[in-house]
Amino acid sequence: MIKVIWEGYDVVEDKECLHLAHFLFPGRALHKDEKKMLLSAIAARQLCRIEFVDAGDVQDLCLQVYEDRTLVTCMNTSGCPSYTLDKSEEVVRAFAYLFNCSPLAEEEMLSSPSLLMSRSVYEKLRHHSGSCALPQLAASLSAATGDQEQSFSLARVMKHCSETGELRLCSRTPGGWEMQYASYIGHHSNGWLLRMSCKASEDWMIAVPISRGQLFAALEEWIVHAVVPSSE
């Protein structure tokens, strides 16, 4: 056990609190309201930070998922106000508001081929996408993925991206917190979920074609229908 002293909070916690802080709020020091939220959040079964930008409209939420409720904290609002959702239907409505879309019917959840490529190669191509012609960008992605058709679709969204997001998901397991990271890029009805390893030593990325509605449905599934791990 280590002692964590955070500006007015003198509590004894184990390393999981610092581990969660580094994952949910990477690369910076936490301010007072964020620290207060995190100290209560470690008792949850699941944690999720969602950052979503659509045409300049920014949503930055942290969700604490418990057995009987979900606590939502608005991180980009002064004082980080929170509100509690007691029923799964309330979670669905909150997500519909966040992503400005309606829940999908089951038959709409169609799967499309994913792209597997080097994360570092993707990041380099994304950095230069603004100055790179669409055919050239698509060709570079195709060379990295081996899929010409889907690479052109991804290149088009990279060139004309109007929506971005980041998902940081934490699930409590008997062995500790399991963490997953993904980013999102989109343009109108087309979008891509970019899943990456949380380990800097692993250089891979899976790009999944997904609409905003499908992203909404996947997050709803993760929060509302998650299986509680057994401690045995």
Side-chain angles (χ1 to χ4, degrees), residues 37 40-41 44 46-47 62-66 69-73:
M37 183 279 299
S40 65
Q46 291 168 278
L47 298 175
C62 274
L63 282 70
Q64 305 172 40
V65 184
Y66 298 89
R69 70 192 189 283
T70 297
L71 183 64
V72 181
T73 303

Side-chain angles (χ1 to χ4, degrees), residues 122 126 154 157-158 161 163-164 183-186 190-192 194:
Y122 167 78
R126 179 73 191 277
L154 175 58
V157 173
M158 290 169 64
C161 180
E163 306 163 5
T164 61
S183 63
Y184 174 81
I185 57 174
N190 297 320
W192 286 81
L194 311 174

Side-chain angles (χ1 to χ4, degrees), residues 37-57:
M37 183 279 299
L38 189 58
L39 288 173
S40 65
I42 59 174
R45 79 177 191 194
Q46 291 168 278
L47 298 175
C48 175
R49 185 181 179 192
I50 308 170
E51 298 175 89
F52 195 81
V53 182
D54 179 7
D57 182 26

Side-chain angles (χ1 to χ4, degrees), residues 6-7 17-38 49-51 58 60-62 73-77 80 166 168:
W6 278 349
E7 295 179 8
C17 195
L18 294 180
H19 190 37
L20 287 171
H22 291 155
F23 178 68
L24 293 173
F25 303 94
R28 65 176 178 82
L30 275 65
H31 60 65
K32 182 178 179 180
D33 293 319
E34 291 172 338
K35 295 168 186 177
K36 183 178 180 180
M37 183 279 299
L38 189 58
R49 185 181 179 192
I50 308 170
E51 298 175 89
V58 179
D60 186 355
L61 305 178
C62 274
T73 303
C74 303
M75 306 309 302
N76 60 333
T77 304
C80 295
E166 285 193 335
R168 300 177 187 275

Side-chain angles (χ1 to χ4, degrees), residues 35-225:
K35 295 168 186 177
K36 183 178 180 180
M37 183 279 299
L38 189 58
L39 288 173
S40 65
I42 59 174
R45 79 177 191 194
Q46 291 168 278
L47 298 175
C48 175
R49 185 181 179 192
I50 308 170
E51 298 175 89
F52 195 81
V53 182
D54 179 7
D57 182 26
V58 179
Q59 297 279 0
D60 186 355
L61 305 178
C62 274
L63 282 70
Q64 305 172 40
V65 184
Y66 298 89
E67 295 295 328
D68 57 345
R69 70 192 189 283
T70 297
L71 183 64
V72 181
T73 303
C74 303
M75 306 309 302
N76 60 333
T77 304
S78 178
C80 295
S82 299
Y83 56 93
T84 300
L85 306 176
D86 296 318
K87 299 178 181 179
S88 60
E89 293 81 4
E90 294 176 344
V91 176
V92 171
R93 286 196 295 270
F95 270 63
Y97 171 78
L98 170 64
F99 292 105
N100 190 26
C101 63
S102 301
L104 295 179
E106 186 174 347
E107 58 270 18
E108 294 180 273
M109 290 296 292
L110 303 177
S111 59
S112 300
S114 301
L115 298 176
L116 175 63
M117 63 184 298
S118 161
R119 177 178 59 186
S120 60
V121 169
Y122 167 78
E123 291 173 347
K124 182 178 180 179
L125 292 175
R126 179 73 191 277
H127 179 73
H128 295 289
S129 62
S131 58
C132 183
L134 178 57
Q136 181 183 356
L137 179 60
S140 297
L141 285 170
S142 180
T145 65
D147 188 318
Q148 183 176 0
E149 181 179 355
Q150 290 293 82
S151 292
F152 184 84
S153 176
L154 175 58
R156 186 167 47 198
V157 173
M158 290 169 64
K159 285 287 294 181
H160 305 290
C161 180
S162 58
E163 306 163 5
T164 61
E166 285 193 335
L167 310 175
R168 300 177 187 275
L169 311 176
C170 308
S171 301
R172 186 183 295 279
T173 71
W177 287 97
E178 178 184 275
M179 300 180 176
Q180 302 176 62
Y181 171 81
S183 63
Y184 174 81
I185 57 174
H187 178 63
H188 296 314
S189 60
N190 297 320
W192 286 81
L193 184 68
L194 311 174
R195 296 178 54 198
M196 310 171 194
S197 173
C198 297
K199 300 178 181 178
S201 59
E202 296 183 358
D203 184 30
W204 59 265
M205 186 191 80
I206 300 175
V208 183
I210 189 172
S211 68
R212 189 188 297 201
Q214 288 172 319
L215 179 61
F216 158 83
L219 282 168
E220 176 200 338
E221 181 75 17
W222 184 81
I223 290 174
V224 177
H225 303 293

